[in-house]
Amino acid sequence: MIRRASLVLVGALMGATAMSVIYSAGVPAEAAGSSTYKELSVFGDVFERVRAQYVTPPAEDKLIENAINGMLSSLDPHSSYMNAKDAEDMRTQTKGEFGGLGIEVTMEDELVKVITPIDDTPAAKAGVLAGDYISEIDGQSVRGLKLEDAVEKMRGAVNTPIKLTLIRKGADKPIELTIVRDVVAVQAVKSRVEDDVGYLRIISFTEKTYPDMEKAIKKIKDTVPADKLKGYVLDLRLNPGGLLDQAINVSDALLQRGEVVSTRGRNPDETRRFNAGPGDLTDGKPVIVLINGGSASASEIVAGALQDLRRATVLGTRSFGKGSVQTIIPLGENGALRLTTALYYTPSGRSIQGTGIAPDIKVEEPLPEELQGKMVTEGESSLRGHIKGQSETDEGSGSVAYVPPDPKDDVQLNYALDLLRGKKTDPAFPPNPDKAVVAK
């Protein structure tokens, strides 16, 4: 199996959209015509008028930043300017670790609720429990804060202290804890054994994804004897994307050969192809890939590669349809430019931009009564100003992105388990690698 240097990233959900990026030290640009520079002089005149005469003194850096973002957002939903903080946040996300406490949280009744403390992290060691409510951070109330603002306050430099005030059911008074921040590694892959099936859920594609997947598969193989193991479920539902090299490596981990993905830019000489090498971590066991409307970008690359090369059966509902590539151009201390420069294509040569990956076996996940009529189907094709895909139709891309919290209620997962165990049959399972669909 061939491992490659990390050159390309395929990003994470930002609201309802996914972003793809390629790191680059710099991109050569052609000189603009004289008429363009005349228009730029008009921009300079407008800027000076606003700066000098607007009713209240504007923040000049914000004026420029908003002007740049206005220009970029007119191109497509994924091109944007990242200031220094945004660029640093992106690097933190792709690295898969940060300085913090190690808790998964949500917002409830204007308080931060702890879903679970991550094992062996500062929060777990200090005694934070699932179900605790954080009412104060360093003596300041969290009421009125957005969840992301509260999370930002809890993150910080390694070896710095933070004081949390907790409200715990059954405790007669608030609990105060002082916790010292440490490096927290975000788990990229979660796994478990479903009796005789290995279950792998890839949460996002960070620098830790392939190593986590490798460990997870080894753990499953150590738990279930090879003659008893029926196969694997690779769950990519609600996966917003991440690093492209990790998407390639995950695909490569299940493939013996073949093209995984290609990227094609404005000029023919910008085409790049990424291929799998020998070696299958699962020893050729059957694989079923789960997708839904929350599967975007890097997760679509994996699903598309395994589907086209007939290595896995894809089950669920149509994916998000994010098929464009963004180049990250560093701008020194001023952040970075994220610019759409290419589209990516599956081994068969299809672009999923605006269409998504259609499952081999369509299985809808029923919504609970309290969510019916409240979840909107969103995909790339519904984004204003998106690049129209070469195969895009009025049907568009995306589907409802919902996964039940209890596996017993998960219709898509249980359908996959029944297929692997032979309780259900379908012409699409198992797929025949000899009938792989590749570009000619």
Side-chain angles (χ1 to χ4, degrees):
M1 192 169 299
I2 300 171
R3 298 287 148 237
R4 305 166 185 80
S6 176
L7 295 175
V8 186
L9 306 92
V10 186
L13 284 185
M14 304 296 288
T17 70
M19 63 178 180
S20 309
V21 297
I22 301 176
Y23 266 124
S24 173
V27 177
E30 297 179 4
S34 59
S35 62
T36 301
Y37 287 111
K38 287 180 181 178
E39 293 297 326
L40 285 174
S41 70
V42 173
F43 171 79
D45 290 342
V46 171
F47 175 78
E48 285 301 325
R49 289 288 184 178
V50 172
R51 186 185 67 80
Q53 297 180 356
Y54 187 68
V55 61
T56 57
E60 295 178 19
D61 57 341
K62 286 297 181 184
L63 283 178
I64 295 173
E65 184 175 328
N66 290 334
I68 293 171
N69 270 319
M71 173 177 63
L72 294 170
S73 65
S74 71
L75 300 174
D76 67 81
H78 308 294
S79 293
S80 65
Y81 169 73
M82 293 183 289
N83 59 33
K85 182 180 181 302
D86 292 339
E88 180 59 32
D89 287 346
M90 184 201 70
R91 286 188 288 270
T92 298
Q93 287 179 16
T94 56
K95 189 175 182 181
E97 61 183 35
F98 56 88
L101 308 180
I103 48 176
E104 295 180 12
V105 295
T106 187
M107 208 71 169
E108 188 175 293
D109 298 328
E110 293 190 283
L111 297 176
V112 176
K113 182 180 181 180
V114 178
I115 299 173
T116 183
I118 302 170
D119 291 342
D120 298 321
T121 60
K125 292 175 182 176
V128 177
L129 302 178
D132 284 348
Y133 288 87
I134 301 173
S135 61
E136 293 182 3
I137 300 173
D138 282 333
Q140 296 185 343
S141 174
V142 302
R143 293 185 186 277
L145 290 180
K146 295 179 180 178
L147 180 60
E148 55 266 32
D149 294 332
V151 170
E152 186 68 23
K153 284 180 177 291
M154 287 186 283
R155 289 186 178 181
V158 172
N159 294 326
T160 58
I162 182 174
K163 187 170 74 172
L164 300 183
T165 302
L166 308 177
I167 297 174
R168 180 175 297 167
K169 186 176 181 180
D172 57 1
K173 62 179 181 180
I175 300 167
E176 292 189 354
L177 295 176
T178 297
I179 307 173
V180 178
R181 297 179 178 93
D182 202 349
V183 174
V184 176
V186 180
Q187 191 175 3
V189 179
K190 292 187 177 182
S191 66
R192 63 178 183 266
V193 170
E194 292 277 354
D195 295 325
D196 52 2
V197 174
Y199 173 84
L200 303 162
R201 180 188 168 211
I202 299 182
I203 300 165
S204 62
F205 290 86
T206 71
E207 292 177 10
K208 299 183 179 299
T209 301
Y210 177 76
D212 281 1
M213 181 181 179
E214 194 173 30
K215 292 174 187 173
I217 291 176
K218 183 180 184 305
K219 185 177 179 180
I220 291 168
K221 291 163 95 173
D222 290 343
T223 304
V224 185
D227 61 335
K228 302 291 185 184
L229 188 61
K230 294 290 197 299
Y232 294 83
V233 173
L234 182 62
D235 194 345
L236 299 178
R237 294 173 299 176
L238 306 182
N239 183 314
L243 301 174
L244 177 57
D245 78 307
Q246 293 293 311
I248 294 167
N249 288 346
V250 165
S251 303
D252 190 354
L254 303 172
L255 294 166
Q256 294 280 10
R257 62 186 181 277
E259 182 177 295
V260 174
V261 67
S262 63
T263 62
R264 307 176 196 178
R266 181 167 163 176
N267 302 312
D269 59 359
E270 294 173 348
T271 298
R272 301 184 67 192
R273 299 184 183 278
F274 302 87
N275 298 304
D280 180 349
L281 293 183
T282 67
D283 301 320
K285 291 287 186 180
V287 177
I288 294 179
V289 176
L290 301 182
I291 62 170
N292 64 12
S295 306
S297 206
S299 54
E300 294 176 289
I301 289 174
V302 174
L306 299 180
Q307 183 182 60
D308 280 0
L309 298 177
R310 300 294 189 261
R311 174 61 186 92
T313 297
V314 178
L315 184 151
T317 55
R318 189 178 292 272
S319 64
F320 189 85
K322 168 65 177 60
S324 63
V325 180
Q326 284 71 44
T327 297
I328 294 295
I329 306 169
L331 301 175
E333 296 180 357
N334 297 317
L337 170 64
R338 180 171 56 215
L339 186 67
T340 300
T341 55
L343 298 177
Y344 59 77
Y345 294 77
T346 70
S348 65
R350 58 179 166 150
S351 166
I352 64 162
Q353 174 66 14
T355 60
I357 299 292
D360 300 307
I361 304 174
K362 184 177 180 179
V363 178
E364 301 275 359
E365 191 71 64
L367 288 174
E369 186 176 344
E370 63 270 18
L371 292 179
Q372 291 178 12
K374 297 180 181 178
M375 293 193 72
V376 179
T377 299
E378 290 191 2
E380 178 76 11
S381 61
S382 66
L383 298 180
R384 183 179 179 183
H386 77 281
I387 297 172
K388 190 172 179 62
Q390 66 178 29
S391 303
E392 187 175 338
T393 66
D394 291 341
E395 183 181 358
S397 62
S399 60
V400 172
Y402 172 73
V403 177
D406 190 335
K408 294 195 298 293
D409 302 325
D410 193 335
V411 172
Q412 293 169 338
L413 172 59
N414 285 298
Y415 199 106
L417 295 175
D418 285 347
L419 283 171
L420 288 166
R421 291 167 180 156
K423 295 180 180 179
K424 286 187 187 325
T425 60
D426 191 281
F429 180 80
N432 185 352
D434 293 333
K435 295 184 178 180
V437 184
V438 295
K440 302 297 184 183

